[in-house]
Amino acid sequence: MTQETKTPAPLTVLATARTTLREVPFDEVRAILAGESGAGKWAWAPGYPFDGTLGGAKLVLRMVTADAYRPGFGLYQIVDGESGLAIGDVGFHAAPDAAGEVEIGYGLIEAFRGRGLATEVVEALLAWTFEQPGVTAVLAETDEDHLPSRRVLEKNGFAFLGSDGETRNYAKRREPGS
């Protein structure tokens, strides 16, 4: 009798002009949550991982544990094209829901902010996301007073949906016919 082995789906890698977005494998997600250094497996810039990385890793682990993970809809490290170091991350809070909506989050270590990298990274993730079947909209939220994050969303064509005074909500809908 043979035991059936489930082969993991290939991890998604996306390229931008200055970065590579590398979907983080599940064993590395667990290592990040365990506080293990990336030495020997992946290289991190000083200041990485940060609190948002840990939150994203927890979301991926929950998806995998609940058997709700959909290939590509995980956590991606943002790898600087010059240094080869992880300088931030971008990813999904969950796989698309029944309405085809999916929420993203992103962050960069401070030394790499203000260069347009987050805008570039979100643009690449949006392009990939809208190529996926069934995706109708990408959602995002940011703190009311976080102007740089708001600008990233606005530059990428997100529409402002409203604010509760602390958090601003945005959405980008799939273009008709695409």
Side-chain angles (χ1 to χ4, degrees), residues 7 11 27-28 31 45 56 82 85 93 95 106 142 153 175:
T7 304
L11 296 175
D27 64 329
E28 292 181 26
E82 288 184 25
L85 300 174
H93 293 203
Y106 50 88
T142 187
L153 296 172
E175 296 292 327

Side-chain angles (χ1 to χ4, degrees), residues 101-105 137-141 158 161 170-173:
E101 295 181 343
V102 63
E103 186 174 354
I104 64 166
V138 177
L139 309 177
E141 65 178 37
F158 280 78
L161 300 177
Y170 291 83
K172 181 165 177 131
R173 306 257 172 231

Side-chain angles (χ1 to χ4, degrees), residues 50 107-117 146:
F50 42 85
L108 289 168
I109 61 172
E110 193 164 337
F112 285 84
R113 294 178 190 160
R115 302 180 189 184
L117 289 171
H146 197 316

Side-chain angles (χ1 to χ4, degrees), residues 42-152:
W42 58 95
W44 298 341
Y48 185 86
F50 42 85
D51 289 343
T53 305
L54 300 177
K58 287 177 186 175
L59 290 171
V60 171
L61 191 58
R62 277 190 214 127
M63 283 188 274
V64 172
T65 302
D67 201 27
Y69 172 77
R70 180 170 158 189
F73 288 93
L75 176 68
Y76 292 76
Q77 285 180 330
I78 302 168
V79 179
D80 176 49
E82 288 184 25
S83 68
L85 300 174
I87 58 170
D89 40 61
V90 62
F92 300 92
H93 293 203
D97 64 16
E101 295 181 343
V102 63
E103 186 174 354
I104 64 166
Y106 50 88
L108 289 168
I109 61 172
E110 193 164 337
F112 285 84
R113 294 178 190 160
R115 302 180 189 184
L117 289 171
T119 300
E120 183 178 308
V121 162
V122 169
E123 179 181 28
L125 191 66
L126 284 172
W128 178 87
T129 305
F130 283 124
E131 290 174 356
Q132 305 313 303
V135 175
T136 60
V138 177
L139 309 177
E141 65 178 37
T142 187
D143 292 340
E144 183 68 46
D145 61 353
H146 197 316
L147 184 58
S149 186
R150 289 170 40 187
R151 302 252 319 127
V152 167

Side-chain angles (χ1 to χ4, degrees), residues 2-47:
T2 61
Q3 183 179 10
E4 187 176 326
T5 305
K6 203 174 190 182
T7 304
L11 296 175
T12 303
V13 176
L14 307 171
T16 76
R18 298 178 287 170
T19 69
T20 299
L21 308 182
R22 170 190 169 273
E23 189 174 9
V24 181
F26 302 140
D27 64 329
E28 292 181 26
V29 167
R30 286 187 194 96
I32 289 169
L33 290 172
E36 295 175 12
S37 168
K41 291 184 179 181
W42 58 95
W44 298 341

